[in-house]
Amino acid sequence: MKSATSPACSQCKLYADYVSKVNAANGGLAGDYLERVNDVPDLFRGDGGRVGGYAAVTIGAYTSKDSPSAKPVTSTVRKYKREFTLSAVNGSWTMSAMSLVPQ
């Protein structure tokens, strides 16, 4: 994920750092934590050649914890808009901004 994002995308870095710390491999996540893309209704090209849009996503019910000894936090099924901006870099699209907006 980090190689597909711009170093300028601070939200991308926060998200990647969280995933590195809290993940299923180290016991930090359990359950249906995957994001499922339901729809990508529209993309648009803005000034400077950037492309933007959003994906409607659903995240299942799961528990997470920041460390093996931390108390688990339960998350219910939720729907979000994953808003994003892409920039062309060396012939490929890279994430330059993103946010998760509850629906």
Side-chain angles (χ1 to χ4, degrees):
M1 177 182 167
K2 289 181 180 182
S3 66
T5 62
S6 165
C9 182
S10 59
Q11 194 64 28
C12 299
K13 181 178 177 349
L14 289 172
Y15 187 74
D17 289 348
Y18 177 79
V19 170
S20 294
K21 179 180 176 184
V22 179
N23 60 63
N26 70 14
L29 288 173
D32 186 16
Y33 51 84
L34 300 176
E35 281 187 15
R36 289 174 183 76
V37 176
N38 303 318
D39 191 17
V40 182
D42 196 16
L43 296 175
F44 60 89
R45 185 177 295 271
D47 295 337
R50 291 187 175 178
V51 172
Y54 75 90
V57 299
T58 300
I59 302 172
Y62 65 95
T63 59
S64 62
K65 51 186 180 177
D66 290 343
S67 70
S69 61
K71 182 179 177 181
V73 176
T74 301
S75 297
T76 60
V77 175
R78 293 163 295 159
K79 293 187 179 203
Y80 291 93
K81 280 173 61 174
R82 166 91 50 207
E83 297 176 343
F84 58 85
T85 303
L86 305 173
S87 298
V89 177
N90 298 325
S92 296
W93 292 106
T94 62
M95 186 80 69
S96 57
M98 74 168 178
S99 64
L100 201 58
V101 181
Q103 295 296 291

